[in-house]
Amino acid sequence: MFQISLAAARVNAGLKQEEAAKKIGITAKTLRNYERGKTAIPGHILRKAAKIYNIPEDLIRLPIVDDDVYDEEEKNLSITTV
């Protein structure tokens, strides 16, 4: 299946970040963080964006968010006390 990035879906819809964010109901900074993979996009926001971008949400490829949660858990497991 062919997928495009969240940013590409926005650009294809002819929207700038500020315009899209306003229509979605979030800040431009939040949208930028979603597009760059700094923050995971909640499902309800993805659905709203897909509707505004006029594209099925399953055709939007989302970036992998590196939130360091797993890494920290793994690091804590490897620490041993003496």
Side-chain angles (χ1 to χ4, degrees), residues 49-69:
K51 186 174 182 178
I52 290 165
Y53 299 165
N54 197 29
I55 183 172
E57 63 185 271
D58 62 340
L59 294 184
I60 299 175
R61 183 184 71 247
L62 299 176
I64 295 172
V65 177
D66 182 11
D67 60 7
D68 290 329
V69 172

Side-chain angles (χ1 to χ4, degrees), residues 20-81:
K22 187 173 183 179
K23 288 178 181 260
I24 296 168
I26 58 176
T27 66
K29 181 180 179 183
T30 298
L31 180 56
R32 192 167 31 257
N33 287 339
Y34 292 155
E35 290 181 353
R36 292 180 179 169
K38 289 188 174 187
T39 308
I41 186 169
H44 71 282
I45 300 292
L46 175 61
R47 284 187 287 282
K48 193 168 185 180
K51 186 174 182 178
I52 290 165
Y53 299 165
N54 197 29
I55 183 172
E57 63 185 271
D58 62 340
L59 294 184
I60 299 175
R61 183 184 71 247
L62 299 176
I64 295 172
V65 177
D66 182 11
D67 60 7
D68 290 329
V69 172
Y70 180 78
D71 295 336
E72 285 299 317
E73 288 175 1
E74 191 173 87
K75 196 183 302 178
N76 289 339
L77 291 176
S78 66
I79 297 173
T80 57
T81 56

